[in-house]
Amino acid sequence: MDLVQMQKSLQDYTKSLFLEGVLDSQFLQLQQLQDESNPDFVSQVVTLFFQDSDRILNDLSLSLDQQVVDFKKVDPHVHQLKGSSSSIGAQRVKNACVVFRNFCEQQNVEACHRCLQQVKQEYYLVKNRLETLFKLEQQIVASGGMIPAMELGF
Amino acid sequence: MAVGEVMRMEIPASGDLSVTSPELHVLAVDDSIVDRKVIERLLRISACKVTTVESGTRALQYLGLDGDKGASGLNDLKVNLIVTDYSMPGLTGYDLLKKIKESSAFREIPVVIMSSENILPRIEQCLKEGAEDFLLKPVKLADVKRIKELIMRNEAEDCKTISHSNKRKLAEGIDTPSPSSSSSHDYSSVKDFPSSKRMKSESENLSSLL
């Protein structure tokens, strides 16, 4: 695949993530903060997000597996994940967290277990998509090309 | 200590603040590592010096306000602005705001609260306690630019007011108190001025959700 084709693939791929609602405009905000002086800013933030989320999801699993679920422990974790996913533009993860928090408020253990599964699903999805996106970018850079700026006309 | 005394403001005729004015040093407080990274970049790209800390307690330590020692100004650089998350374990952003406004050494430092939740009573409570502004997360570049301009403008006006009142004192030959310079004044009277801006930004935040 030549450079132009790779760049087109990246643009199409990125666009699809927005159209599917996997990413929202906050991701574009992050891309705007990336420049020659900070060429890896987005991947750095996203990497922090992955590390942080892995930790939170682990803590959530443990908390929900307790005999008696302490919602005072569960809710702050979900709130944290909601916040960080919102900050990077991981829209579906954020939305899943909003639903999760509602059930925490109701102290509905069954529903919370389902919510955790949903959040995990959305998280692994966005993680997979973003890892693919970064790979595409790396291929372009390795071929001596520039990452095309995201066009907002969709 | 008036904020205007910390920085010498020179507003060029073109109004381009970023070129000749000294850099704001911002203390950013957030328990989320992701948000700290983002806010740091937002501020740096807006030509601010940034120090990030992970909690209200650390923020107080940085300022030298922790424990019973009182303010000792241990930090290397004067802080011109504090931006803090509201929901943090331990000391909340609101608690931090109160402690700063209770301190004679630091109460003049503008404090901006960030929150992912658009709760009107919360916003009102923070503004009432003396917060300069309230930002809804996720924070965008436009928010940071707006805050920076607000802070720079307030400081420029503080400088102007001081110099005007000094001129008046000379002209009248009477020892009249200056309206905004002294930190021993009732804080609420100083902050009556920017309240219209605060209300405007509050509605801007709300309308951005619609």
Side-chain angles (χ1 to χ4, degrees), chain B residues 12-63:
Chain B
S14 63
D16 180 8
L17 292 171
S18 59
V19 175
T20 59
S21 53
E23 285 188 328
L24 285 186
H25 177 210
V26 185
L27 179 63
V29 191
D30 202 315
D31 62 314
S32 160
I33 193 170
V34 173
D35 289 354
R36 278 202 300 282
K37 176 93 178 163
V38 174
I39 194 74
E40 180 190 50
R41 181 69 185 140
L42 285 169
L43 288 165
R44 287 233 165 92
I45 218 174
S46 306
C48 295
K49 288 197 192 57
V50 192
T51 300
T52 57
V53 291
E54 66 200 11
S55 70
T57 310
R58 284 255 182 276
L60 293 175
Q61 281 170 0
Y62 183 80
L63 293 169

Side-chain angles (χ1 to χ4, degrees), chain B residues 53-208:
Chain B
V53 291
E54 66 200 11
S55 70
T57 310
R58 284 255 182 276
L60 293 175
Q61 281 170 0
Y62 183 80
L63 293 169
L65 262 180
D66 60 326
D68 19 29
K69 299 200 181 95
S72 45
L74 294 171
N75 52 307
D76 307 313
L77 287 165
K78 284 263 184 303
V79 171
N80 306 118
L81 168 65
I82 297 168
V83 177
T84 178
D85 190 24
Y86 183 93
S87 309
M88 297 187 290
L91 227 62
T92 66
Y94 177 72
D95 297 329
L96 178 62
L97 168 67
K98 275 212 299 199
K99 287 224 188 280
I100 288 165
K101 295 308 175 190
E102 282 164 11
S103 144
S104 54
F106 296 108
R107 71 161 69 111
E108 294 290 332
I109 302 181
V111 180
V112 172
I113 310 280
M114 305 180 283
S115 176
S116 57
E117 292 164 311
N118 191 20
I119 298 169
L120 196 53
R122 173 183 291 183
I123 299 173
E124 285 172 346
Q125 181 196 46
C126 290
L127 294 178
K128 191 166 167 226
E129 197 61 41
E132 200 66 30
D133 210 323
F134 189 98
L135 295 179
L136 206 54
K137 282 180 160 185
V139 180
K140 300 175 179 17
L141 198 55
D143 297 324
V144 173
K145 285 193 148 62
R146 184 172 62 76
I147 294 295
K148 190 188 172 191
E149 279 163 25
L150 176 68
I151 304 300
M152 302 284 236
R153 208 163 45 223
N154 285 349
E155 292 188 14
E157 264 139 3
D158 283 349
C159 286
K160 249 197 324 195
T161 320
I162 292 164
S163 74
H164 279 161
S165 71
N166 285 341
K167 282 182 194 163
R168 202 179 67 228
K169 270 194 227 173
L170 288 170
E172 294 171 359
I174 299 163
D175 188 20
T176 47
S178 64
S180 64
S181 59
S182 170
S183 58
S184 64
H185 275 268
D186 175 24
Y187 191 77
S188 58
S189 67
V190 174
K191 287 301 166 185
D192 277 346
F193 169 71
S195 64
S196 59
K197 293 176 195 166
R198 272 191 249 132
M199 290 311 291
K200 182 183 170 215
S201 53
E202 178 190 318
S203 63
E204 272 171 5
N205 280 335
L206 294 172
S207 64
S208 71

